[in-house]
Amino acid sequence: MSIDAVSQQIKTATSVAVLTGAGVSAESGIPTFRDPGGLWQQYRPEDLATPQAFQRDPRLVWEWYDWRRQKIAQASPNPAHHTLAHMEGLVPEFLLITQNIDDLHGTAGSRRLIELHGCIWRVRCEREGTVHENREVPLKTLPPRCDCGSLLRPDVVWFGEPLAVETQAQAFAAAEVSDVFLTVGTSAIVHPAASLPIVAKDRGAFVAEINPAPTPITPYVDSYLQGPAGVILPQILSMVTQR
Ligand code: BV8
């Protein structure tokens, strides 16, 4: 199936849902997790993105997040982010479901957006549970502490932690009713996010995947568009907006 076929599906759709992963931020210069040289190549997930790792060594976990915050602070949205922000105004129902915590979709102007795994620019008090925005780059003290004296943690979802109930429900509800489901820049390994395109497909959606490399769900999609999101998404948008 070509870019034209995907564009036609979007043109006639009432409801479009999009799942994004680290790949959509790759062209903004932010390393992905599982590509060569990616974030996980230097670290093991269980060493850094789990509550146990944070209990064991909060400073090490914060050094990793502070390093990522510094990289993200220098990054700008790329054409993939801008295209998705534009696309939300072209269909009656649109929801962008991101696994990314870099807020580049929000910076690009996406509003019909949910962040499945939280946001790196929010911190949460370990004792009070209160959440605040914190954009200090670099962080002056590692690990940062709340005014109450307790540790602050990144307001993100780590492995072994449940996603926010409301956020997860919204994402699956959108997948279930979508006419078109795009999965963009994700290795489709992490659950429950990776189930979303399968749920959409099972409910009769037209599912398209945009990724330079095939993933475990590539065999199930209706259209696999091989290539970078920052190139393919703008091509889709220009065909959708053509008279
Ligand atoms: C939960 C933290 C339950 C924030 C992250 C077996 C089956 C099913 C589930 C499990 C299982 N074993 C364990 C589990 C559970 C586990 C899981 O899925 N593990 C995986 C590894 C098997 N899931 C969980 O723990 C989740 N919670 O299940 O809770 C529960 C219920 C009740 C009570 C208690 C518990 C929580 C999952 C969230 C984990 N947190 N991150 C952060 O620091 O970022 S996950 C981490 O991976 C990031 O959030 C990231 O977003 C996510 C997914 O990675 P991707 O975004 O896909 O990135 P990746 O590098 O992998 O891939 C990039 C892709 O881009 C590649 O395909 C590449 O080809 C492509 N690409 C590259 N360049 C481009 C491009 N694409 C387009 N354009 C380009 N230019």
Side-chain angles (χ1 to χ4, degrees):
M1 285 267 198
S2 67
I3 286 179
D4 183 28
V6 175
S7 309
Q8 285 312 313
Q9 290 285 338
I10 295 172
K11 252 180 172 171
T12 55
T14 301
S15 170
V16 172
V18 184
L19 173 67
T20 62
V24 297
S25 296
E27 291 157 89
S28 297
I30 297 175
T32 62
F33 289 88
R34 296 170 182 86
D35 285 329
L39 291 166
W40 295 131
Q41 252 62 50
Q42 304 158 58
Y43 309 98
R44 295 180 318 137
E46 51 279 12
D47 291 347
L48 293 171
T50 66
Q52 295 76 13
F54 188 69
Q55 297 313 323
R56 190 169 54 241
D57 191 344
R59 183 182 176 84
L60 173 68
V61 173
W62 265 114
E63 282 171 355
W64 185 50
Y65 278 93
D66 191 42
W67 177 75
R68 291 171 67 190
R69 286 162 55 109
Q70 292 177 53
K71 286 199 81 68
I72 292 167
Q74 292 153 15
S76 305
N78 67 62
H81 298 105
H82 290 302
T83 298
L84 291 170
H86 186 154
M87 198 181 283
E88 76 178 37
L90 301 178
V91 289
E93 293 167 24
F94 182 96
L95 187 63
L96 174 51
I97 305 158
T98 191
Q99 298 171 89
N100 301 339
I101 63 170
D102 58 30
D103 192 29
L104 287 181
H105 285 304
T107 305
S110 286
R111 291 295 169 265
R112 296 165 146 187
L113 166 68
I114 54 175
E115 296 170 316
L116 283 184
H117 297 159
C119 180
I120 204 164
W121 297 120
R122 290 195 304 268
V123 294
R124 187 165 82 230
C125 175
E126 281 276 86
R127 193 170 67 83
E128 299 163 329
T130 47
V131 175
H132 302 282
E133 181 163 308
N134 174 313
R135 290 189 180 252
E136 186 183 71
V137 174
L139 283 164
K140 289 191 184 62
T141 52
L142 288 180
R145 289 193 175 272
C146 177
D147 293 344
C148 78
S150 302
L151 277 175
L152 290 172
R153 59 165 281 174
D155 189 31
V156 301
V157 181
W158 281 327
F159 288 105
E161 293 185 321
L163 277 61
V165 172
E166 177 53 32
T167 308
Q168 183 165 338
Q170 253 189 300
F172 278 88
E176 284 163 7
V177 301
S178 63
D179 302 308
V180 175
F181 191 98
L182 304 181
T183 172
V184 188
T186 180
S187 57
I189 293 171
V190 173
H191 288 266
S195 314
L196 288 165
I198 305 300
V199 164
K201 179 86 184 124
D202 288 349
R203 292 295 187 97
F206 175 89
V207 180
E209 180 179 37
I210 299 171
N211 196 319
T215 70
I217 59 159
T218 304
Y220 301 101
V221 303
D222 297 292
S223 174
Y224 170 47
L225 301 175
Q226 185 161 21
V231 171
I232 291 182
L233 279 172
Q235 290 173 346
I236 292 174
L237 182 68
S238 69
M239 299 195 94
V240 169
T241 50
Q242 258 169 21
R243 286 277 163 260

